[in-house]
């Protein structure tokens, strides 16, 4: 698949109850990670891509939702193409140190998604 789903993130207005719910429902392993923007919870589901859980961001309009990340080879070009096709940009290019970069968007139907460009391996 040339543009696979590679990560999923839960943006929630209630992180602690959400963590308890998904731990109980799926027995997911979770690790809390302190960040400058506040706590972030890494989720290891077992099979499939990893995931994360965080408090709702300002771009979330006060609602909880899952945000799928789609890998692209060139973030700026893919983001520009999505906007050209009618998407609305919610968060411009943001770095995840040592990992890559993302943008958050809303498609023309109102569905949120993220684009992800993986950082090249150090040579």
């Amino acid at each position: 698949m040339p543009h696979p789903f590679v990560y999923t993130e839960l943006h929630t207005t209630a992180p602690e109850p959400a963590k308890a719910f998904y731990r109980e429902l799926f027995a997911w392993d979770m690790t809390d990670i302190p960040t400058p923007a506040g706590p972030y919870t890494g989720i290891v589901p077992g099979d499939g891509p990893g995931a994360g859980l965080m408090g709702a961001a300002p771009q979330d309009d006060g609602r909880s939702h899952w945000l799928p990340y789609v890998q692209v080879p060139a973030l700026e070009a893919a983001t520009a193409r999505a906007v050209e096709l009618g998407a609305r940009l919610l968060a411009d290019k943001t770095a995840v140190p040592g990992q890559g970069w993302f943008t958050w968007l809303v498609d023309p139907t109102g569905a949120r998604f993220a684009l992800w460009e993986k950082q090249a391996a150090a040579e």
Side-chain angles (χ1 to χ4, degrees), residues 7-15 18 22 40 43 51-69 88 90-91 102-107 110-114:
Y7 197 74
T8 301
E9 201 165 62
L10 175 57
H11 294 205
T12 177
T13 58
Y22 287 106
Y40 188 86
I43 299 171
L53 184 152
M54 62 185 272
Q59 299 90 340
D60 295 326
D61 301 324
R63 64 185 183 93
S64 297
H65 63 92
W66 282 95
L67 183 71
Y69 283 68
R88 182 170 47 95
L90 291 178
F102 67 83
T103 55
W104 292 346
L105 301 109
V106 177
D107 77 13
R112 292 168 187 246
F113 67 103

Side-chain angles (χ1 to χ4, degrees), residues 2-112:
H3 300 287
F5 287 101
V6 293
Y7 197 74
T8 301
E9 201 165 62
L10 175 57
H11 294 205
T12 177
T13 58
E16 293 306 318
K19 286 192 279 187
F21 174 79
Y22 287 106
R23 272 191 186 117
E24 183 68 24
L25 180 63
F26 297 125
W28 284 343
D29 289 329
M30 297 184 187
T31 303
D32 291 332
I33 305 160
T35 74
Y40 188 86
T41 301
I43 299 171
V44 180
D47 290 335
L53 184 152
M54 62 185 272
Q59 299 90 340
D60 295 326
D61 301 324
R63 64 185 183 93
S64 297
H65 63 92
W66 282 95
L67 183 71
Y69 283 68
V70 178
Q71 187 167 314
V72 295
L75 184 65
E76 286 98 353
T79 300
R81 181 69 175 142
V83 169
E84 177 184 302
L85 293 172
R88 182 170 47 95
L89 185 64
L90 291 178
D92 209 349
K93 184 177 181 181
T94 303
V96 177
Q99 306 261 338
W101 304 267
F102 67 83
T103 55
W104 292 346
L105 301 109
V106 177
D107 77 13
T109 72
R112 292 168 187 246

